[in-house]
Amino acid sequence: MQVITEVSLALLSVAFFPASWVLVYFMMVHPNWCFADFCVETMGSRRVPVRNTLAIFYCFLAFTAMIAFASKKVSVIRRFLSRPLFGTTTVTIGETSWFSLALFISLIGVPAMIWPPYWKMWASMSMMTGGMGDGLITMYWPWARYVYETLILTTGDSLALILGLCILPVSKNSILASYFDLPYTSILRTHMWLGYALFWMIVFHLIITILSYVLDETPLATLFFYVAPGSPWGQSNYLFLTGMLSFFIFGVVLLTSLSYVRRVAYNLFYLTHFLVFAGVLFAYFHASMSIFYMIPGLCLYALDGTLRLLSIFSSDHVSEIHVEECGYLTVTVATTAAKNAKPGQFMRVNVPAVSRLEFHPWSIVFCSDDSVTFLFARGKHEQEWSARVAEYFAAALREGRQNTVAVHLQGPFGKEIEGVKEGAKSDVLVFYVAGTGIAACMNGIHKVLSRKANDEELPKIHVFWATRNEFMERLTVIQPLLRESKSGAGVSVRMFQTSDALATTRVTQDSLLVTHRPNLKHLLSAEVAPLKTDEPLQVSVFVCGPSEFTRDALESVDAFARGNKGIQIFTEVESFDL
C-alpha cells in the first residue's frame, strides 16, 4: 500500500510541471481569467516573450533533473558535485554551479532575449499618432526613459522566474527530491540564496521605476502610496501600491530569515515566513505574470502542506524516555513512520501538550519497523520549545505516564549519509561530531555494523565525539558503540570533554575519554594515515556540528589531504546552522 501511495505521489508531482505549463498558455489566451490590476494576458506584445521564457524555465528544470539523475546513478559525478568549492567551506560545487546558472538565466539570459521586443514596443508606441502615441509625445520621454521602461519590464520577467525557482525547494515532503537523492542542506541553501537574490532584484526593480517616474509631475509618494477613491480595478491604478506592499512584505521575511534571527527567535522566523504567501498575492495583483513560473512550486507545496496537515490528525505515543546524566534526553516513539528511514535523516516533531503549532527537527538515532529513537538537548532558556519539551517529558517520566505522551511526526526528511550507502566503497569511515550531532551518525554506524551478518568486509569506523557536557560516556545510545570499541571489533570511539571548567576538575579512568578539544588533522594522522598502502585508501568523513566546529574540521581535512596524496577523502557536512 505504501509503495502504491509513493508511486501515486511521484506521478502527481511530475504531472504538476507540464500541467502548469499548459495552464499558463490557457491563461494567456483567456485574459478574463486574470484578476490582477495589471494583466499581461491582455498585451499581445508580451505573449511571445512570455512563451519563450516559459520554455527556458522548464528546459532548465529538465536539465536539472537529468543532472540529478546522472549524479544518482554515477558515483563519480555525485562525488564531484558534492565536493566542497574549496577546502574550508561546506558549499559544494553542485549547488554553486546550479545557483550560478540559475542567476545567469534569470538575470542575463532572459533579459537579453526579451529586450528587443519590449524596446520595439516602446519605440513603435512613441511613433504612433493618437492614443498612447500622443501621450508619449506630450510627456517628457527622453531616450533614457525608454531604457528605464524596458528595464522595468525585463526585470519584472526576471523576478517572476526567480520567484518560480525560489519556491520549488520549500516542499519537505518532496518525492522528487527523495528520488533524486538531493542533499537537504544544499536544497535549503539554494533556497536561501534565491531568496536573497529575489529581494535585491526587487530593490533594483524599484530603483529603476523611481528613476523613470521621477521625470513625471506626480510626486513619487503619491504615485506609490495613493489611489484615487473609486479608481477601477484592472486598469493599472493599483499597480504601484500593490507592488510596494509586496516589497515591504518580502523585506520583513528577509530580515527575519537572517541567521541571527533564526538562532535566537526561531518561531519568529518560522511564522513570518508564511507572510510570503501574502507577498506573492500582492505580487500577482501587481502583475499577473508574477505567478506564471510559481505554479508548479505552489502545487508541490500544496501537496506537501496537505501531507503535513494530515500528520496533525495522526498521533503516535512515546514508549520510553530516558533523562541522560549528560543533560540530553533520549526519547523512543512507537510508530511505523520511520521504518524506511535512512541514516542521516531527521523527522519534524510536534508535542501538542507543549505547543500545537511548533514542529522541530530531530535526528533519527535508531529506527525499526515499529519505533524510532531521538536524542535532543534541553534549550538554554526556559521559554525555548526544547526546554519546555524536556521539562514536560521529565515530569511525565516522574509521574509514570510517559506512555501517554502524544507526539505528531513528519518525515523522514533529508539525505542518506553517503559513506554508509549500500555499495559505498569506503575503506575507512570517520564520524567527527559535536554535541547532539552524535545522533546524526548513530543510525549509519548501526547499518554498517549490521552487515556483519552477511560476512561482508566492513570499513574501519572511527567516531570522534566532542561535547561540553559532563558524563558523556554514560549516554545510553552510545553504549553499544563503546562495547564494540573496547572489544576491538573494527570500531574506535574517542570522546572529547571540551568544557574548560570540567577539564581541570574531572579525572577519568576511561581511556576513550579525554578532557581537551579535538584536532581532526592530528586524529586522522594518528588513526588513518597508518592504514595507507600501495592502493589508494578511500576515506569518507562525516562532520556534524556548529559552524566553527565544521570550519575547523574542513581545514583539518584539507591540510591532511594535501599531506597524504595516497588517501582519497570524501567529506560530507551536516551543519547545525541550516
Side-chain angles (χ1 to χ4, degrees):
M1 183 64 184
Q2 183 179 1
V3 174
I4 296 175
T5 302
E6 290 181 355
V7 170
S8 300
L9 291 175
L11 292 175
L12 181 61
S13 299
V14 172
F16 282 147
F17 291 89
S20 300
W21 196 348
V22 171
L23 177 60
V24 174
Y25 267 69
F26 176 84
M27 293 166 63
M28 290 295 292
V29 296
H30 293 84
N32 55 307
W33 281 73
C34 176
F35 304 101
D37 186 51
F38 173 66
C39 293
V40 173
E41 296 90 329
T42 61
M43 301 178 63
S45 59
R46 301 290 295 272
R47 289 180 182 174
V48 172
V50 167
R51 289 173 179 171
N52 290 340
T53 53
L54 278 170
I56 290 177
F57 176 74
Y58 286 102
C59 286
F60 175 61
L61 295 184
F63 173 75
T64 301
M66 288 189 291
I67 296 297
F69 182 77
S71 174
K72 178 180 179 179
K73 296 297 182 181
V74 183
S75 60
V76 174
I77 298 176
R78 181 169 64 252
R79 285 181 173 258
F80 173 75
L81 294 178
S82 301
R83 188 180 301 170
L85 194 61
F86 50 88
T88 59
T89 182
T90 62
V91 178
T92 66
I93 291 175
E95 61 197 68
T96 307
S97 302
W98 185 90
F99 177 70
S100 300
L101 184 57
L103 279 191
F104 177 82
I105 292 173
S106 302
L107 305 183
I108 299 176
V110 167
M113 183 185 69
I114 62 180
W115 179 280
Y118 288 165
W119 179 267
K120 291 177 182 179
M121 178 187 72
W122 290 117
S124 62
M125 289 171 61
S126 66
M127 298 174 63
M128 293 170 57
T129 57
M132 186 64 179
D134 287 344
L136 295 182
I137 293 171
T138 56
M139 295 166 60
Y140 181 55
W141 271 67
W143 69 269
R145 186 153 192 185
Y146 291 103
V147 175
Y148 294 149
E149 290 293 327
T150 306
L151 275 174
I152 290 172
L153 294 178
T154 54
T155 54
D157 286 32
S158 295
L159 279 170
L161 198 146
I162 296 175
L163 263 174
L165 293 175
C166 189
I167 199 171
L168 278 174
V170 301
S171 301
K172 291 181 172 58
N173 285 290
S174 175
I175 299 295
L176 299 180
S178 298
Y179 173 77
F180 289 119
D181 202 18
L182 300 179
Y184 180 79
T185 301
S186 296
I187 292 174
L188 186 59
R189 188 149 42 205
T190 51
H191 167 69
M192 293 167 57
W193 291 346
L194 287 168
Y196 295 139
L198 172 69
F199 180 77
W200 290 113
M201 194 62 183
I202 293 174
V203 171
F204 180 72
H205 185 69
L206 176 60
I207 291 173
I208 295 299
T209 303
I210 291 173
L211 290 175
S212 180
Y213 284 88
V214 75
L215 302 175
D216 288 349
E217 295 180 358
T218 305
L220 291 177
T222 303
L223 183 69
F224 288 138
F225 301 106
Y226 176 76
V227 177
S231 298
W233 181 265
Q235 299 182 16
S236 300
N237 294 307
Y238 299 82
L239 178 69
F240 298 99
L241 179 61
T242 53
M244 292 305 295
L245 288 172
S246 181
F247 168 71
F248 287 128
I249 290 172
F250 282 125
V252 170
V253 173
L254 175 78
L255 291 175
T256 56
S257 298
L258 298 176
S259 59
Y260 174 78
V261 178
R262 293 201 311 272
R263 287 196 306 270
V264 302
Y266 177 83
N267 287 338
L268 177 64
F269 151 74
Y270 179 74
L271 294 175
T272 54
H273 238 59
F274 288 101
L275 289 174
V276 166
F277 297 106
V280 169
L281 181 62
F282 281 113
Y284 170 72
F285 288 153
H286 171 71
S288 60
M289 74 170 300
S290 298
I291 68 163
F292 284 1
Y293 311 89
M294 292 187 68
I295 296 174
L298 290 173
C299 291
L300 289 174
Y301 187 80
L303 179 61
D304 170 50
T306 301
L307 294 175
R308 285 198 271 168
L309 184 63
L310 291 175
S311 70
I312 298 177
F313 301 100
S314 176
S315 296
D316 295 297
H317 287 83
V318 171
S319 60
E320 185 179 355
I321 299 173
H322 191 85
V323 179
E324 306 286 352
E325 291 183 72
C326 62
Y328 297 156
L329 275 81
T330 304
V331 179
T332 300
V333 179
T335 182
T336 59
K339 64 181 180 180
N340 295 319
K342 299 175 182 177
Q345 289 190 310
F346 66 92
M347 300 187 80
R348 286 168 52 84
V349 182
N350 168 258
V351 183
V354 175
S355 171
R356 293 186 176 276
L357 297 178
E358 295 183 62
F359 281 81
H360 289 255
W362 285 356
S363 291
I364 297 172
V365 182
F366 299 118
C367 62
S368 65
D369 290 344
D370 56 6
S371 70
V372 60
T373 300
F374 303 104
L375 177 73
F376 77 99
R378 179 192 298 266
K380 296 179 181 179
H381 305 291
E382 291 184 0
Q383 295 305 313
E384 288 186 36
W385 180 84
S386 58
R388 289 181 286 134
V389 168
E391 183 58 37
Y392 176 71
F393 281 173
L397 183 61
R398 288 194 302 269
E399 298 166 9
R401 55 178 179 85
Q402 63 266 30
N403 298 121
T404 66
V405 175
V407 296
H408 300 309
L409 302 176
Q410 296 176 353
F413 304 118
K415 178 180 177 292
E416 184 176 9
I417 297 175
E418 194 71 27
V420 304
K421 287 182 176 180
E422 295 287 347
K425 299 178 180 179
S426 297
D427 301 307
V428 183
L429 294 177
V430 176
F431 297 92
Y432 187 68
V433 296
T436 55
I438 188 67
C441 66
M442 292 298 296
N443 203 23
I445 297 172
H446 177 72
K447 177 180 179 179
V448 173
L449 294 178
S450 68
R451 297 174 191 161
K452 283 183 180 180
N454 301 328
D455 295 326
E456 293 185 33
E457 183 178 351
L458 303 182
K460 294 186 180 298
I461 300 174
H462 292 276
V463 180
F464 305 121
W465 178 33
T467 181
R468 297 177 58 86
N469 298 56
E470 193 175 9
F471 304 121
M472 58 191 296
E473 75 278 10
R474 300 180 188 176
L475 181 68
T476 305
V477 297
I478 205 173
Q479 296 310 306
L481 284 187
L482 295 181
R483 289 192 292 270
E484 292 274 354
S485 183
K486 291 177 179 178
S487 68
V491 178
S492 172
V493 180
R494 297 280 298 277
M495 295 173 288
F496 298 84
Q497 170 57 256
T498 60
S499 171
D500 294 332
L502 293 175
T504 57
T505 60
R506 188 176 180 216
V507 178
T508 176
Q509 301 300 317
D510 195 333
S511 61
L512 303 181
L513 174 64
V514 294
T515 53
H516 61 75
R517 298 179 186 279
N519 183 301
L520 184 56
K521 181 185 176 184
H522 293 165
L523 292 169
L524 292 173
S525 299
E527 304 290 346
V528 176
L531 302 175
K532 184 168 56 174
T533 62
D534 294 336
E535 297 294 327
L537 188 69
Q538 303 288 336
V539 180
S540 179
V541 179
F542 176 79
V543 181
C544 183
S547 57
E548 185 176 349
F549 180 85
T550 56
R551 184 175 62 252
D552 291 343
L554 291 171
E555 290 175 353
S556 294
V557 170
D558 184 56
F560 176 77
R562 283 188 278 108
N564 295 269
K565 299 301 182 182
I567 299 178
Q568 298 178 358
I569 300 182
F570 174 76
T571 307
E572 197 169 3
V573 176
E574 183 176 313
S575 176
F576 285 0
D577 293 339
L578 289 176

